Amino acid sequence: MSRRFEEIESSFQCLMEAARTELSESECGEIQEYVDVGEYGLALRTAVAIYAEENKIASIAVRELIHRLASAMAIDVDQLLGRLPN
């Protein structure tokens, strides 16, 4: 596995830990299903969608991890973070 993918996996583990206090078990499970099969882009977009659709406030740590993951995967950071409720 390349170093980049190891970093992404590690960041997702951190994201899931940080999100556990903010998201339900089933919401975390939905995200984790994508991570488990290597669908990192879908996992990240799903996490942001859950926060947006459920109007949940993401902690600073979660926002920083979303930023880090989006940057690593060349996903539009501003678009993702812009969807998160304040």
Side-chain angles (χ1 to χ4, degrees), residues 10-69:
S10 175
S11 292
F12 262 112
Q13 288 176 351
C14 293
L15 176 63
M16 297 309 297
E17 284 299 313
R20 289 202 194 289
T21 60
E22 301 167 356
L23 302 180
S24 71
E25 188 175 320
S26 65
E27 290 166 336
C28 288
E30 183 178 352
I31 298 164
Q32 189 63 51
E33 286 179 19
Y34 289 117
V35 173
D36 290 345
V37 295
E39 291 288 349
Y40 304 118
L42 282 173
L44 187 58
R45 287 182 176 95
T46 298
V48 170
I50 289 169
Y51 276 97
E53 290 168 11
E54 300 298 325
N55 202 32
K56 295 185 177 192
I57 306 299
S59 66
I60 292 170
V62 167
R63 289 173 184 271
E64 288 174 353
L65 287 160
I66 289 170
H67 187 284
R68 182 185 314 160
L69 284 161

